[in-house]
Amino acid sequence: MEGDCLSCMKYLMFLFNFFIFLGGACLLGLGIWVIVDPTGFREIVAANPLLFTGAYIMLAMGAMLFLLGFLGCCGAIRENKCLLLFFFMFILLIFLAELSAAILAFIFRENLTREFFTKELKKHYQRNNDTDVFSSTWNSVMITFACCGVNGPEDFEAVPHLPYSSLEKAMPEACCQRELQSREGMFVNKEACLSGAERFQNRQGCYTVILNSFETYVYLAGALAIGVLAIELFAMIFAMCLFRGIQ
């Protein structure tokens, strides 16, 4: 009976570690995509220190989970006590680090509010100056999501104009409607848009548009994080039980 329990625990340990392996692979792939993605998210991450740090933490966590899941599977199948102990200690460290990251994300969640982005936009945005990373990133976001500013075109009333701007109250070109939502897309009517014709402008704020676009993915990411933590907890329990059962 004891041998059957040990065998069952070994395969359960292998199963949980296989899920950790898959979770680590997903986090690793997502972290790499965020950092190297060519569609503009790389600039968004680089322009925000909090997101920049978070992307690399996610990348490091994914790589560690990937490796530890692999080691845990090997330790369970081969019944190697050294590998199991090594796995337990490191999965415990990762578990505590993930809990700390979740607490910090909750504490600093005000950095992702509408007011924060509005303040940063009015402070750093330089309209059509694509040599500036912050401005170029915002222009890419507004073109891609067919939106304007954080709350709407009114956000740019307090933004200083560049010396070469010919219109005193012109909004950025990125807020003008295009036939195709990309930098290569043709304007529907650029002159009328910059002259104030609202029907040729994107009037909806980017905060609402992006929030609605990613709302499903945020809940999915939260559920995935909870699932990963639960799997790690069970894996640690099985690792220690298997460690103690191996003669």
Side-chain angles (χ1 to χ4, degrees), residues 62-126:
M64 292 183 68
L65 286 176
F66 182 86
L67 177 62
L68 287 175
F70 176 77
L71 292 176
C73 289
C74 292
I77 292 297
R78 298 182 60 182
E79 298 185 10
N80 188 305
K81 297 185 73 172
C82 291
L83 281 177
L84 288 173
L85 184 60
F86 176 81
F87 166 81
F88 176 84
M89 295 302 296
F90 273 85
I91 205 73
L92 177 62
L93 290 175
I94 292 176
F95 183 83
L96 295 176
E98 288 173 345
L99 280 180
S100 301
I103 294 172
L104 288 175
F106 179 79
I107 293 175
F108 293 104
R109 67 190 185 281
E110 65 272 8
N111 286 344
L112 300 177
T113 61
R114 185 189 298 268
E115 291 73 20
F116 172 79
F117 286 116
T118 303
K119 179 181 177 182
E120 291 295 301
L121 179 69
K122 293 181 177 180
K123 182 178 180 181
H124 300 292
Y125 185 69
Q126 299 179 24

Side-chain angles (χ1 to χ4, degrees), residues 1-11 79 242 245-247:
M1 181 65 68
E2 183 178 350
D4 292 338
C5 290
L6 186 62
S7 179
C8 179
M9 194 174 300
K10 178 176 72 174
Y11 287 109
E79 298 185 10
L242 186 59
I246 296 174
Q247 300 299 326

Side-chain angles (χ1 to χ4, degrees), residues 90-233:
F90 273 85
I91 205 73
L92 177 62
L93 290 175
I94 292 176
F95 183 83
L96 295 176
E98 288 173 345
L99 280 180
S100 301
I103 294 172
L104 288 175
F106 179 79
I107 293 175
F108 293 104
R109 67 190 185 281
E110 65 272 8
N111 286 344
L112 300 177
T113 61
R114 185 189 298 268
E115 291 73 20
F116 172 79
F117 286 116
T118 303
K119 179 181 177 182
E120 291 295 301
L121 179 69
K122 293 181 177 180
K123 182 178 180 181
H124 300 292
Y125 185 69
Q126 299 179 24
R127 297 187 178 272
N128 302 321
N129 181 10
D130 284 337
T131 60
D132 177 67
V133 173
F134 185 90
S135 304
S136 177
T137 299
W138 261 105
N139 289 336
S140 296
V141 169
M142 291 189 290
I143 292 172
T144 301
F145 291 94
C147 56
C148 188
V150 179
N151 309 286
E154 64 273 9
D155 290 341
F156 297 103
E157 294 177 359
V159 175
H161 296 267
L162 295 177
Y164 54 78
S165 178
S166 59
L167 298 174
E168 185 177 354
K169 291 187 177 181
M171 67 167 57
E173 295 179 0
C175 288
C176 296
Q177 293 181 4
R178 297 171 184 250
E179 296 177 0
L180 179 65
Q181 297 306 317
S182 69
R183 286 184 176 270
E184 293 73 29
M186 298 293 294
F187 290 99
V188 176
N189 192 328
K190 179 179 174 180
E191 291 74 17
C193 167
L194 296 179
S195 298
E198 294 186 2
R199 65 194 184 98
F200 298 111
Q201 301 172 353
N202 296 317
R203 305 292 301 177
Q204 193 169 9
C206 292
Y207 189 87
T208 301
V209 172
I210 295 177
L211 193 64
N212 292 337
S213 299
F214 288 97
E215 184 176 10
T216 303
Y217 299 103
V218 169
Y219 289 120
L220 181 62
L224 179 62
I226 293 174
V228 169
L229 288 175
I231 289 172
E232 290 172 356
L233 183 61

